[in-house]
Amino acid sequence: MNILGIETSCDETAAAIVTDRAGGSRILGHCIHAQFAEHRPYGGVVPEIAARAHLDHLDGVIRRTLGEAGLDLGALDGVAATAGPGLIGGVMVGVTTAKAIALVRGLPFIAVNHLEAHALTVRLTEDVPFPYLLLLISGGHCQLLIVEGVGRYRRLGTTIDDAVGEAFDKSAKLMGLGYPGGPAVEAAALTGDPQRFDLPRPMRGRAGCDFSFSGLKTAVRLAADTLPPGDQQAVADLAASFQRAVAETLADRTGRAAALFRARCPEGRHLVVAGGVASNGAIRAALAATAARHGLTLAVPPPKLCTDNGAMVAWAGLERLRLGLSDGLDFAARPRWPLDAEAPKAAFAGVKA
Ligand code: KG4
Ligand code: ZN
C-alpha cells in the first residue's frame, strides 16, 4: 500500500507518503513547512496564525511530497490525516484536504489520532513488536502507556500540570534562548555545567507514574532572575542543569512504569520514547540506562520522525488500513482525543497535540 499522511495539528504543515510494498516499509516522499518564522515574534504558537498558514502551505507541501515520491494521486491506496487532538483550526484544514482527495479519487480516508501516530512511528523504522512501554514526550503531552496493539493503550501515568516540551519552551524563554525552546536548550546545554544549579526533580521517588513540571519551571525562573546580564556561560550552565533535572525526572518515573510493565507484560521487550522531546540526546541517554536496568531495549525513532511530521501520520494510517480500519467522510475533527478512553480524566494533562 502507498499511503499519503497529512499533519496540521500544531505548527508544522507536513505531508509524507509511506509504503509497505516490496518487502520493508519505507518513506517515499517527506515534506515539512515549519512555521517557526510566523510564530517567533510571539514566542509561541498562535492558533489563528497556524490555521491560516496551514491553508496557505498545505497544497504546495502535498505537491512537493508527490513529486519527491515520483507518484501521482492515482498511485495512492489511502489518505490519512491527523484528526485530533490539536489546534482545531489547523486540524480541520488537514482533515478537509484529506477528505477531498479521498472523495475525488475514491480512496479510503483514515482519521489518525496524533498521539497514536507518535506511538506507532517506531514500527516504521524498526522491528518493534507489541506490547511495548511508551514514554510519549511532546509539546502538549507527557504520558507513560502500555501499547498493546493498534488502538489498544493502557495509561500508567501522565503530567498533572505542564507537558515536558512546554517546560522546555517556557524555560528557554526565561533563559532568553530562542524559539522553539527544546533544540535551543539542548544546544546551550552542550557547553554548560549540569551541577551548577540545584534544581528539583519533581515527584522523584513518589508512588505511581505521574509527572509534574511546574515546580521545576518556577525554580528555573528564580535561578534565571539571579543570572548576571550577558553571562552566556551562566545561561549554558542553567540550561544544562535544567536538562539534567528533566532527564533524571523522566528516568525515575519511567523506571517505575518499566517495573509495572515487566510484571504485566513479561513478553514485552521494548521501551519506546516518542514525541518531539525524544529527539534530545541527553534524555535518550538517560532513558537507555533506565531501559537496560529493567531488561528492556530502548527504541527511539530518528530525530526527524520524533518532531511532528507527515510520515508518522501516513504510517499510523497504513497500520490501521492493514487491519481494515478506515473512517467515514463525516468524521469530525477533535480538539481532544485521549489514547486510553478508560483512563481517569487528567485535568491538566496538557492541552495541545
Ligand atoms: O511532537 P512535537 O513536534 O509536537 C507536539 O506534538 O507537541 O513536540 C514539540 C516539542 C516542543 O515543545 C519542542 O521544544 C520539543 O518538542 N523539542 C525538544 C527538542 N526538539 C523538540 N525538546 C528537547 N530537546 C530537543 N532537542
Ligand atoms: Zn506531536
Side-chain angles (χ1 to χ4, degrees):
M1 288 196 286
N2 297 330
I3 306 292
L4 171 66
I6 296 172
E7 163 56 40
T8 57
S9 68
C10 193
D11 58 346
E12 264 100 13
T13 312
I17 297 168
V18 301
T19 189
D20 62 354
R21 287 196 178 155
S25 42
R26 277 174 308 131
I27 301 173
L28 299 179
H30 190 265
C31 184
I32 298 187
H33 171 81
Q35 302 173 5
F36 298 145
E38 283 98 328
H39 300 288
R40 189 167 286 124
Y42 307 94
V45 180
V46 182
E48 180 63 25
I49 293 176
R52 285 167 189 266
H54 289 307
L55 261 185
D56 288 344
H57 295 294
L58 184 56
D59 288 356
V61 163
I62 293 173
R63 204 173 302 120
R64 289 208 295 282
T65 303
L66 287 162
E68 201 178 290
L71 299 176
D72 59 26
L73 292 175
L76 298 178
D77 299 288
V79 188
T82 291
L87 301 173
I88 196 67
V91 175
M92 285 168 68
V93 172
V95 164
T96 308
T97 304
K99 285 177 179 173
I101 297 171
L103 182 64
V104 168
R105 289 284 161 173
L107 296 171
F109 161 71
I110 308 106
V112 168
N113 181 318
H114 181 86
L115 305 176
E116 173 156 76
H118 277 304
L120 298 177
T121 303
V122 72
R123 290 162 50 83
L124 166 60
T125 51
E126 279 184 67
D127 183 18
V128 177
F130 301 122
Y132 50 86
L133 177 64
L134 171 71
L135 173 65
L136 176 50
I137 40 178
S138 71
H141 293 272
C142 186
Q143 301 185 10
L144 281 157
L145 300 131
I146 297 176
V147 182
E148 296 171 347
V150 174
R152 293 170 48 217
Y153 301 89
R154 292 271 163 264
R155 193 169 79 203
L156 301 178
T158 184
T159 178
I160 59 167
D161 42 51
D162 294 343
V164 64
E166 202 178 348
F168 266 96
D169 293 334
K170 289 179 177 168
S171 298
K173 218 170 174 175
L174 292 167
M175 290 183 248
L177 294 170
Y179 166 82
V185 170
E186 183 170 20
L190 284 176
T191 53
D193 170 11
Q195 316 274 20
R196 168 147 172 207
F197 292 91
D198 185 21
L199 300 174
R201 273 64 172 154
M203 313 284 274
R204 186 161 66 178
R206 290 248 212 119
C209 304
D210 284 340
F211 303 86
S212 163
F213 291 101
S214 67
L216 177 57
K217 191 182 63 195
T218 305
V220 169
R221 181 162 55 72
L222 295 174
D225 285 347
T226 68
L227 298 185
D231 186 343
Q232 288 312 310
Q233 187 56 50
V235 170
D237 292 344
L238 184 52
S241 303
F242 166 77
Q243 186 173 268
R244 169 76 64 87
V246 171
E248 289 185 9
T249 302
L250 292 174
D252 172 72
R253 310 317 292 164
T254 305
R256 298 190 77 89
L260 281 175
F261 175 64
R262 295 291 278 161
R264 282 195 206 171
C265 305
E267 75 280 28
R269 289 282 165 268
H270 291 90
L271 166 63
V272 173
V273 188
V277 184
S279 52
N280 182 290
I283 289 174
R284 289 158 95 114
L287 293 167
T290 305
R293 254 197 312 280
H294 291 272
L296 297 171
T297 301
L298 181 73
V300 190
K304 76 166 185 177
L305 298 183
C306 285
T307 45
D308 289 349
N309 64 86
M312 69 187 211
V313 180
W315 176 253
L318 194 150
E319 289 236 43
R320 294 188 76 82
L321 201 55
R322 265 201 312 223
L323 297 173
L325 301 169
S326 65
D327 297 278
L329 295 182
D330 57 350
F331 191 102
R334 301 176 179 180
R336 288 182 169 273
W337 188 358
L339 271 184
D340 179 356
E342 306 290 308
K345 278 215 172 71
F348 302 104
V351 287
K352 64 188 185 81

